[in-house]
Amino acid sequence: MNENERQVRQITPKSEDFSKWYLELVQKAELADYTPMKGMMVIRPHGYAVWENIQRGLDARIKAAGHVNAYFPLFIPESFLKKEAEHVQGFSPEVAWVTIGGQEDLEERLAVRPTSEAIIGHMYAKWIKSYRDLPVLVNQWANIVRWEKVTRPFLRTTEFLWQEGHTCHETAEEGEAETLRILALYKEFCETELAVPVLSGRKSLREKFAGAQMTYAIEALMSDGKALQMGTSHDLGQHFSKAFDIKFEDRNQKLQYVWQTSWGMTTRTVGALIMVHGDDSGLRFPPNVAPTQAVIVPIPAGNWKETVLPAARAAEAALAAAGVRVRLDAREEFTPGWKFSEYEMRGVPLRIEIGPRDVKAGQAIVVRRDTRAKEAVPLPALPARVPGLLAEVQAELFSQARAFLEANIRDAADYAGFKETLENLRGFVRAPWCGDEACEDKIKTETMATIRVIPLDEAAAQPAGPCVRCGREGKAVAYFARAY
RNA sequence: CGGGACGUGGCGCAGCCUGGUAGCGCACAUGCUUGGGGUGCAUGGGGUCGGCGGUUCGAAUCCGCCCGUCCCGACCA
């Protein structure tokens, strides 16, 4: 195969150039495309279908946990954004502003929301009067704009889609419990639906959300060894309620500020799916969020339109009735071999081949995308067998990703080993930390690694020795990694 | 935002150094053929060379500015 053929027919191998592989895959699998505006991408139908499936699974969980959806404005008056000092300081470098409406200059410029705490805080102050109004458990699905300097499809774009939850509670304890409940929800969602295992814990103060009292996060490991934040949950304490004057009369008839949380997951998770599960042949979508779960490829030979095609149509109908997202590709302009490669690249979990030989034998050949294992399944048994196979693929992808994560969590014996591991092996390095931000900064400068999470579990967070950087007393165990 | 590279039909590239108005492979269209791992053959359509300006009789080619993309950093979901 010459260079030209290679470039047309397949993507750059993952092991050869991970970054190039990722970017090519995003385009060739038609997940997203660039636009004339810097850093702004189109999420194409195939990519958006994944996001819709993510939304469906996440939205169901958020609602099951008692939340309701609402929608707040795209614009936020500058004065609102400025009310919480740390918040505005953290976000101002990346806010886009509207200064003109129609022909007229605005008296006050409007921020295109980089996050919605400010506008939502303002409205909550209006709505909340009594402890009887609490808790407020609201979520919104929205688009966000952050004027990033460096962008990459799905992982960092100027505009992105997310859900942001904003809750208010009577007590600090309730607020903290909500923050942790969402953190656990995110972890369960990622692992169950995305088949992406995550580490969860709290962030260091350096890494926390601008305006939060404490930030918690889940972190996944991409197959190039870099970490990616999959979701965050913030305990806002009373920072915003004091800034926006969100007060309620408590059970003792005293005025108090509410305790708040906010939390979000974004379209970045689509990027994680690509980077965690993809291989040299392309995407490998977990069945639970795959736009198409099974594709039927008829083998056109002889009088296939009278034999194979009806069998394929019947299989399609039976699988659809069984709740499988199935597609029959009976196009004649592409050969079976071409379709095999195409659907592998696009990440379809199962391929179902039906040819003249199969029709005679009353069966179909089912091929798994994850293992490429082939299995002959009697045609009438497809609706029963395919869901089971999809579940197996889902489980296998998670199992592979978890094995990779576990194999790439290492303990550092000393600082030399710490640097060595981050430089050559990547992954997470678990090490005792003194808790000093100066130490954290030095580590970042020297190794490009940041603290991704500090485990919440008491035992897991117990440092085994002195700080890996300064040798002073270890106050916590932290997971360090280079991150996206 | 710093350091580096790149921008030529949809994709991947050649041409640029040594100016003379574009070429290859794939994709696309039509026909036949083939079909269980990107079938084979034939015919055909499509670009004015990222944008703007300059030098020149003449610019894809030389010069300047701008825009965009990628890589390595700083910042961030």
Side-chain angles (χ1 to χ4, degrees):
Chain A
M1 192 189 315
N2 67 34
E3 200 50 29
N4 267 332
E5 280 172 325
R6 197 183 109 172
Q7 277 157 357
V8 168
R9 290 183 172 172
Q10 63 183 43
I11 54 174
T12 299
K14 193 179 175 185
S15 52
E16 186 180 305
D17 186 337
F18 188 83
S19 188
K20 199 171 171 191
W21 168 84
Y22 175 81
L23 293 166
E24 282 180 11
L25 197 44
V26 164
Q27 298 237 56
K28 293 193 175 175
E30 298 181 344
L31 298 175
D33 200 1
Y34 296 100
T35 67
M37 291 89 70
K38 176 178 161 61
M40 307 205 188
M41 68 167 184
V42 176
I43 303 177
R44 300 183 66 177
H46 192 226
Y48 200 75
V50 179
W51 177 239
E52 286 181 309
N53 288 335
I54 290 173
Q55 279 186 300
R56 189 178 311 122
L58 193 51
D59 194 63
R61 283 169 171 77
I62 289 168
K63 283 173 178 160
H67 306 79
V68 290
N69 285 337
Y71 187 77
F72 293 84
L74 171 65
F75 301 131
I76 302 176
E78 181 169 21
S79 56
F80 286 21
L81 218 52
K82 284 181 167 167
K83 285 187 180 179
E84 214 288 334
E86 194 180 312
H87 189 61
V88 66
Q89 202 202 338
F91 281 101
S92 63
E94 49 188 13
V95 172
W97 296 98
V98 175
T99 58
I100 301 175
Q103 311 287 345
E104 296 177 13
D105 289 346
L106 302 183
E107 278 189 32
E108 179 181 12
R109 56 182 188 161
L110 301 173
V112 181
R113 62 184 164 211
T115 180
S116 301
E117 277 76 8
I119 185 70
I120 291 179
H122 176 85
M123 299 312 297
Y124 281 176
K126 198 172 159 185
W127 298 338
I128 297 167
K129 297 295 170 205
S130 150
Y131 71 91
R132 296 180 203 275
D133 298 323
L134 297 173
V136 171
L137 304 173
V138 168
N139 176 64
Q140 90 163 340
W141 289 93
N143 57 338
I144 289 295
V145 168
R146 295 183 189 174
W147 216 260
E148 300 286 355
K149 312 273 189 205
V150 177
T151 60
R152 193 190 294 242
F154 291 112
L155 301 181
R156 173 154 294 107
T157 47
T158 302
E159 179 183 9
F160 59 92
L161 306 181
W162 76 352
Q163 61 65 217
E164 49 180 326
H166 295 270
T167 70
C168 299
H169 306 268
E170 280 186 70
T171 66
E173 293 71 31
E174 271 184 47
E176 192 189 358
E178 166 75 1
T179 312
L180 294 175
R181 180 164 61 139
I182 295 299
L183 185 72
L185 184 156
Y186 281 163
K187 180 176 164 73
E188 187 274 331
F189 172 77
C190 277
E191 299 190 335
T192 305
E193 306 295 347
L194 307 184
V196 173
V198 295
L199 296 178
S200 72
R202 66 179 170 89
K203 288 286 188 185
S204 64
L205 293 180
R206 184 188 192 286
E207 300 285 325
K208 79 172 174 60
F209 175 77
Q213 178 171 300
M214 181 64 76
T215 287
Y216 300 84
I218 52 172
E219 293 273 336
L221 188 62
M222 305 301 103
S223 51
D224 63 343
K226 288 172 76 175
L228 182 74
Q229 183 169 300
M230 298 289 285
T232 49
S233 184
H234 314 294
D235 187 345
L236 301 179
Q238 293 177 312
H239 294 192
F240 285 87
S241 62
K242 285 179 176 167
F244 288 89
D245 205 32
I246 313 172
K247 284 183 293 205
F248 71 103
E249 196 168 326
D250 71 12
R251 289 162 200 268
N252 303 314
Q253 293 178 295
K254 276 190 181 160
L255 274 183
Q256 279 204 47
Y257 290 106
V258 300
W259 299 81
Q260 292 183 280
T261 81
S262 70
W263 27 276
M265 270 185 93
T266 79
T267 34
R268 170 183 266 189
T269 49
V270 177
L273 287 175
I274 300 166
M275 292 194 292
V276 169
H277 300 305
D279 65 15
D280 283 353
S281 303
L283 302 169
R284 296 194 306 169
F285 279 137
N288 290 0
V289 293
T292 299
Q293 295 175 311
V295 61
I296 299 172
V297 178
I299 309 299
N303 62 336
W304 71 285
K305 285 189 183 172
E306 282 74 50
T307 57
V308 170
L309 196 53
R313 291 218 169 99
E316 180 192 23
L319 286 169
V324 176
R325 292 192 290 275
V326 62
R327 173 182 170 187
L328 167 64
D329 187 351
R331 290 177 298 175
E332 292 180 64
E333 55 270 37
F334 296 105
T335 60
W338 187 91
K339 291 177 187 173
F340 295 170
S341 300
E342 181 69 9
Y343 290 110
E344 280 175 5
M345 196 259 290
R346 294 170 75 96
V348 179
L350 292 180
R351 173 174 83 237
I352 300 172
E353 304 172 16
I354 303 179
R357 297 201 297 265
D358 299 310
V359 172
K360 262 183 204 144
Q363 66 175 28
I365 304 296
V366 183
V367 186
R368 288 171 58 158
R369 173 66 180 87
D370 58 334
T371 60
R372 295 178 198 272
K374 294 190 179 186
E375 177 177 325
V377 177
L379 288 170
L382 279 176
R385 181 59 182 140
V386 165
L389 275 169
L390 289 171
E392 286 177 36
V393 173
Q394 181 81 25
E396 175 61 21
L397 287 176
F398 180 65
S399 165
Q400 285 180 14
R402 188 175 51 191
F404 180 79
L405 171 63
E406 285 169 357
N408 284 284
I409 298 173
R410 301 180 181 86
D411 288 293
D414 50 40
Y415 195 53
F418 180 89
K419 284 197 285 193
E420 162 84 16
T421 302
L422 286 167
E423 187 61 38
N424 299 323
L425 301 172
R426 304 288 171 90
F428 288 103
V429 180
R430 184 169 42 201
W433 173 51
C434 61
D436 189 341
E437 198 165 322
C439 235
E440 188 183 5
D441 281 336
K442 283 179 194 154
I443 289 172
K444 175 157 191 194
T445 307
E446 291 160 1
T447 69
M448 294 193 289
T450 50
I451 294 178
R452 304 318 300 167
V453 288
I454 297 160
L456 299 177
D457 178 64
E458 286 293 330
Q462 214 44 244
C467 173
V468 72
R469 174 64 179 74
C470 67
R472 285 177 291 176
E473 183 193 355
K475 296 267 174 61
V477 165
Y479 286 83
F480 293 84
R482 293 188 185 175
Y484 275 97

